[in-house]
Amino acid sequence: MTRSTTRRATTRAAVLVASAAMVVVGMQTGSATAQADRADDATATAQAPADRVFALKEAQAGAGAEAHALGLGDKERLVVRDVVKDADGTVHTRYERTYAGLPVLGGDLVVHEKKNGKRSVTKATAARISVTGTDAKVSASAAEKSALKAAAAGDTDEVAAEGAPRKVVWAASGKPVLAWETVVTGVQHDGTPSERHVVTDATTGAELFSYETVHTGTGTGDYNGTVPLTTTPNGSTFDLKDGQRGGHRTFDLNGGTSGTGTLFNDADDVWGGGRQNAAVDAHYGAAVTWDYYKNVHGRSGIRNDGVAAYSRVHYGNAYVNAFWSDSCFCMTYGDGANNTKPLTSLDVAAHEMTHGVTSNTARLVYRGESGGLNEATSDIFGAAAEFAASNTADAGDYLIGEKIDIRGNGTPLRYMDKPSKDGNSKDYWYRGINRIDVHYSSGPANHFFYLLSEGSGAKTINGVSYDSPTYDGKAVSGIGRDKAERIWYKALTAYMTSTTDYAGARTATLSAATDLYGASSAEYQAVNAAWAGVNVK
């Protein structure tokens, strides 16, 4: 049994079944009428876990026939990861691929089938999956040593291999090759845990690719004012556990850097003060984010299975970051410089949880252009959740991390209307943007979302002034944030793959706009114009 207190922090036709560090880098979503309007406008509704399991099993039972229909080789198999059914009966089935029993990294694909039987496919690679053999010339131990050396030469300390390397087929870039994938753990230079995947050629030993998977992404708290929290009675006391939202729990690490720490507990169910402030904000942020995805997109939790992640606050000592980790399926927050500014603001919480959503949908690789799109996705839905909360203490805006004052001068981490205002992010796409930090290569996608939502030029929203330029100087008219959110979510869950780049994101969002509004719609034309506004054509 859960109890909603009044002084705590919280805030395909027809069924949807589904299925980083932030820096440097009940229904707290507005009026009931506004929420109902948004929910009715969604393309799908939340699906019971049992129905989701049935849909996935049904799709997997037909995976062999699907592989044959796609013309895949005799050694290739498909593994279902997600099934999404639109209101018009279109079904999007997302697959991973294996070859001779080995995982194919970059081999994921999505099959789109309309109710009339018309089909299309989105692939992470157009290459035919084939290698000359599956016997590695480079041993697993040699691959591990190479991976450890590569990680240590980068930004990771205290490196160690997490289990033995696994043999894979690398297909995310160029011709598919036999490879080893080694997971190296350690600590990044800023104190963030590291879980780096290093892919090395099984014939030559050369490093092919590496990427990071730790994304550095009533109570009264530090940022959100006095807000409602859903807690759970524990005898005569109360635990910071939200039974209404998949059992989300908030823990106190108390300066630790591993484990879960201690579940927050309170005697009178009136939270806030001291160490509880960060917990209030984190718990509230998780509730708002859960409600946003469920009410707006019909998604029940990060994995769409009705099960919540958990939050950990007070990580480390003066840790100036927050991060999402797939391995623990959790969000973690540091206390900031001098342990005085916890990174638990609402948009940071939604940002981190969205990394989990991306990991359970498109799995955009956290490097290069796909990494920038990964980061932008978290910024986009971080801002969207903040707007949805309608919290006057932290009104919705197109600024990222404006409350945590990471620079100590009152400026936000990132600006969506003109990303370059942070001094590092890019306003427009250019050749070579894949070589910069993903937090900065996210700029064109953030800028696209702002233009699609609000349009170009000067305007004031919720008291914040914006003035968004375009690459070619042409004016762009916005279609409203609600429609822009729906288009990006549809693109992420139905059309993007692990290797999607900016050109692919443009194609994905145009496909999403076609599904939602039609190929001749004003919304489709607006998507096209907004991408042109950031030099993606």
Side-chain angles (χ1 to χ4, degrees):
M1 176 179 178
T2 61
R3 172 182 174 185
S4 294
T5 66
T6 59
R7 295 190 59 211
R8 301 294 174 144
T10 68
T11 70
R12 189 179 252 222
V15 194
L16 170 69
V17 291
S19 333
M22 175 66 186
V23 288
V24 123
V25 178
M27 194 172 287
Q28 183 68 20
T29 53
S31 70
T33 300
Q35 287 183 52
D37 289 344
R38 290 171 66 97
D40 290 344
D41 196 40
T43 57
T45 55
Q47 173 66 7
D51 291 334
R52 178 179 186 273
V53 171
F54 175 79
L56 293 172
K57 285 183 176 179
E58 186 177 44
Q60 188 61 58
E66 187 63 75
H68 179 75
L70 292 172
L72 303 187
D74 292 341
K75 295 183 179 181
E76 294 180 78
R77 299 290 183 271
L78 292 175
V79 180
V80 177
R81 278 195 48 234
D82 197 5
V83 183
V84 176
K85 186 174 182 180
D86 296 344
D88 67 357
T90 301
V91 177
H92 310 269
T93 308
R94 185 180 295 273
Y95 298 94
E96 297 289 345
R97 213 178 330 184
T98 66
Y99 177 87
L102 301 177
V104 180
L105 305 185
D108 50 304
L109 55 89
V110 187
V111 176
H112 317 283
E113 184 167 359
K114 294 187 176 295
K115 193 173 183 179
N116 63 9
K118 184 177 180 180
R119 293 158 53 90
S120 61
V121 185
T122 303
K123 295 182 178 180
T125 179
R128 184 168 184 81
I129 308 301
S130 179
V131 294
T132 56
T134 57
D135 292 328
K137 292 184 178 180
V138 175
S139 68
S141 59
E144 180 180 310
K145 290 179 181 178
S146 296
L148 289 169
K149 183 178 180 180
D155 64 351
T156 308
D157 300 321
E158 303 175 25
V159 297
E162 181 75 13
R166 69 169 182 167
K167 195 183 295 183
V168 300
V169 174
W170 174 251
S173 58
K175 182 180 179 180
V177 297
L178 187 69
W180 290 105
E181 179 191 34
T182 307
V183 179
V184 179
T185 61
V187 180
Q188 298 176 47
H189 293 338
D190 69 348
T192 305
S194 175
E195 190 174 295
R196 179 166 290 278
H197 291 235
V198 182
V199 182
T200 52
D201 194 306
T203 299
T204 67
E207 181 181 335
L208 298 171
F209 197 80
S210 69
Y211 63 96
E212 180 64 61
T213 60
V214 176
H215 303 157
T216 61
T218 55
T220 302
D222 291 312
Y223 306 113
N224 301 301
T226 299
V227 291
L229 289 176
T230 302
T231 61
T232 301
N234 180 0
S236 62
T237 65
F238 301 86
D239 290 336
L240 211 48
K241 178 181 178 180
D242 190 339
Q244 293 182 5
R245 298 176 180 85
H248 178 273
R249 296 163 295 163
T250 301
F251 295 90
D252 185 359
L253 279 173
N254 196 28
T257 57
S258 62
T260 57
T262 304
L263 180 64
F264 277 93
N265 176 270
D266 186 76
D268 63 0
D269 214 19
V270 177
W271 303 77
R275 305 188 65 77
Q276 286 190 358
N277 279 9
V280 166
D281 286 334
H283 204 68
Y284 167 75
V288 167
T289 305
W290 179 284
D291 288 350
Y292 168 75
Y293 276 108
K294 184 174 182 179
N295 296 334
V296 178
H297 302 297
R299 188 176 192 85
S300 183
I302 286 172
R303 289 188 298 237
N304 201 26
D305 60 358
V307 178
Y310 63 90
S311 297
R312 308 184 300 177
V313 299
H314 302 306
Y315 173 91
N317 179 32
Y319 175 62
V320 189
N321 223 323
F323 61 88
W324 166 266
S325 173
D326 287 330
S327 60
C328 72
F329 197 63
C330 70
M331 293 84 67
T332 304
Y333 305 90
D335 286 332
N338 302 313
N339 294 314
T340 60
K341 204 75 173 176
L343 278 80
T344 51
S345 66
L346 176 54
D347 56 356
V348 173
H351 175 110
E352 299 308 337
M353 293 182 74
T354 297
H355 278 305
V357 173
T358 299
S359 291
N360 284 275
T361 54
R363 288 190 177 180
L364 291 159
V365 173
Y366 205 60
R367 176 174 163 178
E369 291 192 24
S370 60
L373 291 167
N374 189 317
E375 268 298 309
T377 296
S378 283
D379 283 351
I380 286 166
F381 291 122
E386 186 180 82
F387 272 106
S390 296
N391 185 327
T392 56
D394 187 7
D397 54 50
Y398 294 95
L399 309 175
I400 307 302
E402 74 280 358
K403 288 287 187 179
I404 58 177
D405 194 20
I406 199 72
R407 299 186 177 91
N409 60 5
T411 60
L413 278 172
R414 289 184 286 279
Y415 304 77
M416 302 183 81
D417 65 318
K418 188 178 181 183
S420 61
K421 287 197 290 188
D422 67 13
N424 293 293
S425 294
K426 307 304 177 183
D427 293 333
Y428 313 115
W429 179 87
Y430 64 94
R431 293 188 184 279
I433 198 171
N434 61 313
R435 293 193 289 271
I436 67 173
D437 186 285
V438 296
H439 296 87
Y440 308 140
S441 63
S442 63
N446 279 338
H447 193 186
F448 160 82
F449 180 77
Y450 177 87
L451 289 171
L452 184 61
S453 299
E454 306 292 348
S456 58
K459 54 184 58 69
T460 300
I461 304 166
N462 283 349
V464 180
S465 296
Y466 304 96
D467 194 356
S468 191
T470 60
Y471 180 78
D472 54 11
K474 294 181 179 179
V476 171
S477 296
I479 58 174
R481 190 181 58 259
D482 291 355
K483 289 181 178 179
E485 292 170 20
R486 291 185 62 201
I487 289 169
W488 194 270
Y489 181 81
K490 180 71 173 180
L492 176 75
T493 56
Y495 292 103
M496 292 185 186
T497 69
S498 61
T499 63
T500 297
D501 56 12
Y502 270 102
R506 176 181 179 274
T507 299
T509 50
L510 287 171
S511 295
T514 298
D515 290 349
L516 294 168
Y517 305 108
S520 300
S521 65
E523 291 82 1
Y524 181 98
Q525 295 303 325
V527 170
N528 200 34
W531 278 122
V534 298
N535 197 34
V536 179
K537 304 174 183 179

